[in-house]
Amino acid sequence: MQIIFHIGAPKTATTSLQHALKPARLRLAQQGIAYVPTGKLRNSEFGEALRDETPSFFRRRVSRKAVDDFVRTWSQPGTDRMLVSEEGFSIYLLHPRRKGGDWASQAGRTFKILRHFEPYDFRVVLTVRRQDSYLLSCYAHLVRHGRIGLPFEEWWPKEVDLSLMSWRRYIEALNAEYGAERVTVLPYERIRDGFGGYYRNFIAEACRVPEESVADMEPEENALNPALSDPAMQIALIVNRHTRKQVTALERKDLIKEMKRVLPPKKFPKYAPDINDLREATARIFTDENRYVNEHLLAAPHPGFLFD
């Protein structure tokens, strides 16, 4: 049994992929793939410890028996691969803080989690996204979770060190740890051609099955995880600035859910701040590097990953 770990990155449609893969488990099994629903992983005996955001991970030992039981539980007859998608394995990529160190230097946090599976044959799949749109999506996520009250155009110059956001160095760190043959890197930008194509390409490349064998697989309509509309984002920023300490995580979750209902992105303008300055700044740093990644490190190159 080979285990395929989709480790993120966050904000590359990971949640949408997970929503789409869950109802397709029977079809995936016909391709020899046992898919582990992300919720089942997180709620397993050791799942909480595998979440990088859980401080107890570094104080609590995950038993060999718990890992073996997990693999045995989710193995299915007639399958020879197991697909696990959990962006929590690289959650630190969400906020490239000035004091946080570059992405490659933090990759050891992912390595520490996956070492529990060293007795097994496993591969790593990483989905990447061009730095300017990636950072905007990270910002929207942090606003939704009450972490930021500043407008985007004030936040990124003050809080973010763009030079830390090197996909090339991060991928090379993964390759150095596992070997390039065990690492598959896919571009988020494929989603511009439609989520269905992104979904099918992910299955084909991540699980190494012929794309024609999944050509008729269509994700369910409710698979997409919509972002907040512009008015909902503005309200969230106001809430964060004035009630950040008074609102609990559960209350905030309910508030975001209600804003999506009252101010749905399908009926209101999407949140789209001016990112020209950010695009110019990231292009100055990563134009050549992203071209190298696109040509040499991506399993499925896409022009949308390039700045030029």
Side-chain angles (χ1 to χ4, degrees):
M1 174 66 70
Q2 183 181 71
I3 306 175
I4 304 160
F5 286 107
H6 177 214
I7 64 170
K11 314 318 298 176
T12 57
T14 49
T15 301
S16 295
L17 282 171
Q18 292 155 9
H19 287 172
L21 290 166
K22 185 177 179 180
R25 289 178 60 207
L26 180 60
R27 180 62 187 277
L28 291 170
Q30 294 170 353
Q31 297 288 336
I33 306 158
Y35 174 63
V36 182
T38 304
K40 298 294 185 182
L41 168 67
R42 294 174 182 173
N43 294 325
S44 66
E45 180 182 345
F46 65 100
E48 281 298 316
L50 293 180
R51 294 282 288 173
D52 180 75
E53 62 195 16
T54 305
S56 62
F57 170 73
F58 297 103
R59 300 194 301 269
R60 182 176 64 181
R61 184 173 181 178
V62 180
S63 70
R64 169 86 272 129
K65 181 178 182 300
V67 174
D68 292 342
D69 287 347
F70 175 81
V71 175
R72 185 165 47 252
T73 297
W74 289 101
S75 298
Q76 296 179 18
T79 62
D80 57 6
R81 284 151 292 172
M82 178 182 293
L83 175 60
V84 178
S85 178
E86 169 57 294
E87 67 273 27
F89 291 172
S90 62
I91 200 71
Y92 49 85
L93 299 177
L94 261 175
H95 195 167
R97 299 176 181 87
R98 291 187 178 278
K99 298 180 181 180
D102 73 356
W103 285 346
S105 69
Q106 298 184 69
R109 296 161 70 177
T110 299
F111 303 157
K112 189 168 186 177
I113 294 172
L114 295 184
R115 283 193 190 112
H116 293 291
F117 294 88
E118 282 183 348
Y120 294 91
D121 174 22
F122 72 83
R123 295 190 292 107
V124 173
V125 177
L126 173 72
T127 40
V128 299
R129 183 173 180 174
R130 202 177 70 185
Q131 288 85 347
D132 53 339
S133 69
Y134 181 77
L135 189 61
L136 177 58
S137 187
C138 290
Y139 169 80
H141 175 94
L142 294 167
V143 169
R144 286 173 57 178
H145 287 78
R147 308 283 182 86
I148 297 173
L150 287 174
F152 182 71
E153 61 272 14
E154 295 180 27
W155 172 74
W156 74 263
K158 180 179 180 180
E159 299 290 340
V160 176
D161 183 345
L162 299 178
S163 68
L164 304 179
M165 302 173 64
S166 170
W167 288 122
R168 177 177 178 175
R169 293 196 296 272
Y170 188 72
I171 295 165
E172 287 175 344
L174 294 175
N175 288 346
E177 180 74 10
Y178 301 119
E181 70 282 355
R182 294 173 63 194
V183 177
T184 300
V185 187
L186 300 170
Y188 165 85
E189 283 70 20
R190 177 71 184 263
I191 205 169
R192 295 180 184 177
D193 305 323
F195 180 67
Y198 182 67
Y199 165 69
R200 290 185 291 274
N201 180 255
F202 173 83
I203 296 172
E205 294 289 352
C207 302
R208 297 180 179 174
V209 298
E211 194 154 358
E212 56 269 22
S213 68
V214 296
D216 62 338
M217 291 183 68
E218 288 292 339
E220 295 185 358
E221 286 189 16
N222 63 354
L224 282 172
N225 182 30
L228 292 182
S229 64
D230 182 75
M233 277 288 289
Q234 301 307 327
I235 293 172
L237 284 167
I238 293 171
V239 170
N240 292 350
R241 283 196 292 270
H242 297 286
T243 64
R244 189 170 177 180
K245 294 182 179 180
Q246 289 79 21
V247 179
T248 67
L250 183 59
E251 289 171 336
R252 188 175 304 281
K253 184 177 180 180
D254 290 340
L255 176 64
I256 294 298
K257 184 178 180 180
E258 189 66 10
M259 286 196 293
K260 281 187 175 182
R261 184 184 69 80
V262 176
L263 301 168
K266 288 186 178 181
K267 294 185 178 180
F268 290 86
K270 68 177 183 178
Y271 178 69
D274 185 351
I275 65 169
N276 285 332
D277 288 346
L278 172 63
R279 182 168 292 122
E280 290 177 5
T282 48
R284 282 195 297 271
I285 301 170
F286 296 115
T287 291
D288 292 340
E289 191 169 292
N290 279 24
R291 188 183 301 114
Y292 179 90
V293 171
N294 196 60
E295 293 176 359
H296 300 286
L297 300 178
L298 295 187
H302 194 283
F305 186 71
L306 302 174
F307 283 102
D308 50 14

